[in-house]
Amino acid sequence: MASVAATRRHDLTDAQWAALEPLLRTGKRPGRPPTWSKRLLIDGIRWRTRVGSPWRDVPECY
């Protein structure tokens, strides 16, 4: 994923993402591409743990 144009307040910065991305596994299985990018998924997980809300209350942007 390219640079996120309008990052939200506590989302990963480009520098943080550049350090984290090489540590994540890459999908090598055939089939449908993922619905969400890994960066967006991690930002959503970080939002949920920071706020302490249930999954159903995670905003649509994540």
Side-chain angles (χ1 to χ4, degrees):
M1 179 177 173
S3 172
V4 177
T7 59
R8 288 165 288 279
R9 185 175 177 193
H10 294 287
D11 287 354
L12 293 171
T13 64
D14 289 338
Q16 290 170 328
W17 179 245
L20 180 62
E21 186 177 26
L23 303 174
L24 300 173
R25 290 179 47 187
T26 58
K28 296 185 180 181
R29 295 183 347 198
R32 191 178 343 177
T35 304
W36 301 282
S37 69
K38 289 182 181 181
R39 183 175 184 169
L40 189 60
L41 184 63
I42 290 171
D43 282 336
I45 292 168
R46 292 178 68 236
W47 182 91
R48 182 185 176 273
T49 56
R50 183 176 59 252
V51 174
S53 73
W55 282 109
R56 68 179 174 267
D57 294 338
V58 174
E60 286 292 321
C61 62
Y62 295 115

